[in-house]
Amino acid sequence: MSARILIVGAGASGIAAATQLYENGLTNLVVLEATDRIGGRVYTIPFGESMIDLGAQWCHGEKNNAVYELAGPLGLLESSVVASGNVLVKNNGEMVPKETTDRLMAVAEKIMSEAEMSSHDGTLGDFFMGKFMKLVEDGQILGDIDRELIQQFLRFYKSYQEGYAAVDSWYNLTASSLHEYDESEGDQSLSWMGQGYKSVLNLLMKKHPSQTDGEPIPIEDKVLFNKTVSNINWGKAPDAPVTVRCTDGTTYDANHVIITTSIGVLKENINTLFTPALPMMKQNAIKGIYFGTVNKIIMEFEKPFWTALGNTFGLIWESEDLEKLRESKYAWTEGTSAFFKIDRQPKLLAAWMIGKEGRQSELLDDQDVIDGMMYLLKMFFKNEQIEKPVKVIRSKWSTDSNFRGSYSSYSLETEQMKTSSDDLSIPLTDCLGTPVLLFSGEATNQGQYGTVHGAIGSGRREAERLTKLYNKV
């Protein structure tokens, strides 16, 4: 019996599902991709002297990590420059002494790893601030550090964690879910040696130059580009096809549809995308799981001014100056959590943009963005001679209708609605129990949401589900 399988989305999850299905003999499949490329939130492009990633950039960990298992043994990964040389710089141009920075970060990271977090009935912000301020009041560990500097550090660390989890506020991020996250052991900042994260797509399709065994998997031949899905008509009648309609008027019938669309797109189109409407459990999962945005602004300079200063620059604001910023035309630059180097690109410096200010920056024209970045750089690096960048490129994940954000996390709303990635991942079946609509993507991976390896794992999970079904038949 030939399976007719349709995959919505050619991101990491869709490509992982398609390659595994193909290798297991289920080759009668089609992938509908809304853009003109594969990869989704894996988006590698040429810029500067080699390649950059506007989306996913680092492989996070080694153990129990699908990305590392593909790339690590082939020697395609190395520790990123951002793993060392981290400094805090004040908006008056002063560098926080390294010894002080190391002490503050060590205390913060210790709090973040406490087992007590798993049972905390509240937010990450509540948990962290309570623990940190208790240590400050005790005075034994941080008593000799200026209180104003501690408050400035806490503002920075808050934005650091909000950017890491892609949330607007860590007071909306549940502490227990963060602690229960299945972090892969090993180096958390592995880079692609200048080749970009698109390498993992080629590895999945067995077409990377380092792969010398076996034949490439012709998945790209199965992908139809510029196909934005507008409706998925499904039902519970046995053997009834699922009809997928695209905005260009084309329709496709399939026995099974694997939906890898970002949860941001599902949120926006939940009332029109499915006929009939999804069960309430599935709707609650889509509505309840948080989906936030982080962006990058990547600048190329003729003469890098930061070479001897560090690799990652966390921004520390004086309270009075921050208030002035909020009243100025550059208020959106408060969304800049840090500047950081790009691996193997000595002339590139990137800004990590978070929160509502980061989303606001997407709406500005390029010149306004350049002016804002120059304003910040000249403020924080007063002692350096800084010329305007020769090139600038940036991501716009929130305003892009094909994504509507960057990656998922668990918020207070997730907890209040008593939902989870597990609820999102459960397939919908016909009346005989045969899976009809299957869901994958990083937001469906309970232990590894928010990551590329989580996306790949979820795609493989659904491919295995269908493979077992047809092997059984």
Side-chain angles (χ1 to χ4, degrees):
M1 185 177 193
S2 179
R4 290 186 297 156
I5 303 168
L6 190 147
I7 300 173
V8 180
S13 178
I15 296 298
T19 52
Q20 184 156 319
L21 287 166
Y22 196 96
E23 284 192 294
N24 285 299
L26 300 177
T27 61
N28 186 6
L29 57 90
V30 172
V31 183
L32 300 180
E33 168 55 42
T35 71
D36 58 1
R37 61 179 179 84
I38 66 170
R41 285 165 277 168
V42 172
Y43 191 13
T44 303
I45 60 172
F47 188 81
E49 297 176 1
S50 58
M51 311 298 287
I52 60 165
D53 287 302
L54 285 177
Q57 184 165 344
W58 300 284
C59 171
H60 299 295
E62 302 164 43
K63 186 177 179 181
N64 189 28
N65 185 312
V67 173
Y68 186 84
E69 289 164 5
L70 287 164
L74 298 176
L76 301 179
L77 298 169
E78 64 183 358
S79 186
S80 172
V81 293
V82 302
S84 62
N86 299 331
V87 298
L88 297 178
V89 56
K90 296 183 178 181
N91 68 279
N92 63 5
E94 296 179 6
M95 297 286 180
V96 178
K98 183 178 185 302
E99 185 269 342
T100 303
T101 297
D102 291 345
R103 286 174 58 196
L104 288 167
M105 289 298 292
V107 171
E109 295 304 311
K110 184 176 184 298
I111 293 173
M112 291 296 296
S113 64
E114 288 190 10
E116 185 182 340
M117 189 187 296
S118 63
S119 59
H120 180 72
D121 185 20
T123 68
L124 174 62
D126 294 328
F127 179 84
F128 183 91
M129 291 298 291
K131 290 285 185 179
F132 197 96
M133 293 312 297
K134 184 177 181 181
L135 292 174
V136 171
E137 296 302 327
D138 288 346
Q140 296 182 10
I141 299 178
L142 302 173
D144 60 324
I145 299 179
D146 180 73
R147 286 295 184 95
E148 178 61 25
L149 177 58
I150 286 177
Q151 291 302 320
Q152 294 166 357
F153 169 78
L154 288 172
R155 277 196 294 269
F156 156 75
Y157 196 76
K158 174 178 179 290
S159 70
Y160 168 77
Q161 287 295 336
E162 288 168 350
Y164 191 81
V167 296
D168 283 5
S169 172
W170 67 356
Y171 291 106
N172 190 39
L173 184 67
T174 56
S176 57
S177 66
L178 191 66
H179 191 271
E180 293 165 1
Y181 182 81
D182 184 18
E183 182 177 283
S184 299
E185 296 178 13
D187 193 332
Q188 295 299 305
S189 302
L190 291 165
S191 75
W192 291 91
M193 305 174 74
Q195 299 305 305
Y197 221 125
K198 72 172 185 180
S199 301
V200 80
L201 306 174
N202 290 328
L203 291 170
L204 285 167
M205 296 183 291
K206 296 189 175 179
K207 54 183 291 187
H208 193 279
S210 64
Q211 294 171 304
T212 57
D213 296 333
E215 294 294 321
I217 306 172
I219 290 304
E220 285 179 286
D221 296 341
K222 301 286 187 179
V223 181
L224 301 179
F225 294 102
N226 301 307
K227 293 289 185 180
T228 302
V229 173
S230 58
N231 184 257
I232 300 173
N233 194 303
W234 66 287
K236 287 188 168 292
D239 297 325
V242 180
T243 299
V244 178
R245 180 177 296 276
C246 297
T247 55
D248 63 4
T250 56
T251 59
Y252 302 86
D253 289 342
N255 296 99
H256 318 278
V257 174
I258 302 177
I259 300 163
T260 75
T261 310
S262 82
I263 197 169
V265 172
L266 293 178
K267 285 176 181 289
E268 183 174 56
N269 299 283
I270 190 170
N271 294 324
T272 59
L273 189 56
F274 298 96
T275 304
L278 296 177
M280 194 54 63
M281 180 189 74
K282 194 71 68 178
Q283 291 192 42
N284 286 343
I286 292 171
K287 293 175 182 177
I289 296 174
Y290 190 89
F291 195 67
T293 304
V294 293
N295 278 309
K296 301 173 195 171
I297 300 172
I298 302 176
M299 300 164 282
E300 180 180 7
F301 292 85
E302 186 66 35
K303 295 180 181 179
F305 60 86
W306 58 87
T307 304
L309 301 177
N311 296 330
T312 300
F313 306 95
L315 306 187
I316 298 289
W317 283 93
E318 298 279 353
S319 299
E320 183 177 334
D321 294 326
L322 186 57
E323 289 303 318
K324 290 179 181 178
L325 176 75
R326 290 169 177 169
E327 296 173 1
S328 75
K329 66 178 180 179
Y330 298 122
W332 62 270
T333 63
E334 186 181 351
T336 309
S337 175
F339 292 106
F340 61 95
K341 290 183 179 181
I342 301 292
D343 290 281
R344 301 201 178 199
Q345 294 256 40
K347 294 184 177 181
L348 300 191
L349 189 68
W352 191 255
M353 305 299 297
I354 69 168
K356 64 181 184 347
E357 295 88 0
R359 293 193 298 276
Q360 182 185 352
S361 71
E362 297 186 34
L363 305 175
L364 302 175
D365 62 33
D366 288 346
Q367 189 56 55
D368 286 338
V369 169
I370 293 172
D371 291 345
M373 289 293 100
M374 288 299 294
Y375 174 79
L376 278 191
L377 291 171
K378 288 186 175 183
M379 178 185 295
F380 281 88
F381 299 93
K382 282 183 171 63
N383 301 321
E384 308 299 324
Q385 185 174 351
I386 304 173
E387 303 295 335
K388 281 191 175 182
V390 294
K391 289 182 185 177
V392 174
I393 195 168
R394 53 192 171 125
S395 60
K396 299 179 181 180
W397 294 112
S398 178
T399 53
D400 192 323
S401 61
N402 295 314
F403 302 100
R404 294 304 189 204
S406 302
Y407 45 87
S408 64
S409 61
Y410 281 13
S411 67
L412 288 178
E413 186 176 10
T414 315
E415 190 172 84
Q416 289 164 359
M417 297 183 73
K418 301 186 186 313
T419 188
S420 69
S421 297
D422 281 345
D423 290 339
L424 186 59
S425 68
I426 297 173
L428 300 179
T429 65
D430 64 18
C431 61
L432 299 179
T434 303
V436 174
L437 294 188
L438 302 91
F439 295 81
S440 73
E442 54 85 11
T444 73
N445 194 322
Q446 179 73 12
Q448 298 181 330
Y449 53 83
T451 65
V452 178
H453 58 270
I456 291 173
S458 71
R460 288 174 169 174
R461 178 193 67 219
E462 299 312 313
E464 183 180 4
R465 193 189 306 275
L466 291 179
T467 299
K468 287 182 177 179
L469 172 69
Y470 280 91
N471 283 344
K472 185 177 180 180
V473 172

